[in-house]
Amino acid sequence: MSNKLFNKKWRRLLGLFAFIATGGGLIVSTAINERNIYKTEILIIFGCFFAISLADHFRQLIEKDDKNEN
């Protein structure tokens, strides 16, 4: 049973890392290639929202794993 939970936890973390890599890569590549400073500022704001959502998603992921272990 614990092996099944362990695999499920790693799959969730892998999905989270894929989400981080995709979103972060898109934000960074757009910021590097964009020449307009105002669009870059807006992109930085969206990047902050992206970071907040990642922290919230990670917290929910950990709480869900803690509930499953009990």
Side-chain angles (χ1 to χ4, degrees):
M1 182 72 175
S2 65
N3 190 20
K4 185 177 180 181
L5 291 176
F6 182 74
N7 289 335
K8 193 174 191 179
K9 180 180 179 180
W10 282 108
R11 283 188 303 212
R12 288 182 184 157
L13 285 175
L14 182 63
L16 178 65
F17 291 140
F19 181 68
I20 292 169
T22 303
L26 288 171
I27 289 172
V28 169
S29 69
T30 304
I32 289 172
N33 294 328
E34 186 59 48
R35 299 199 189 278
N36 189 345
I37 190 70
Y38 299 113
K39 289 182 182 177
T40 305
E41 290 174 357
I42 292 171
L43 189 62
I44 290 171
I45 293 169
F46 282 134
C48 292
F49 289 139
F50 180 71
I52 291 169
S53 71
L54 286 177
D56 184 50
H57 183 69
F58 184 72
R59 191 185 79 239
Q60 288 176 356
L61 179 81
I62 297 300
E63 287 175 359
K64 187 179 262 187
D65 285 340
D66 289 343
K67 288 180 184 178
N68 288 339
E69 288 179 0
N70 291 334

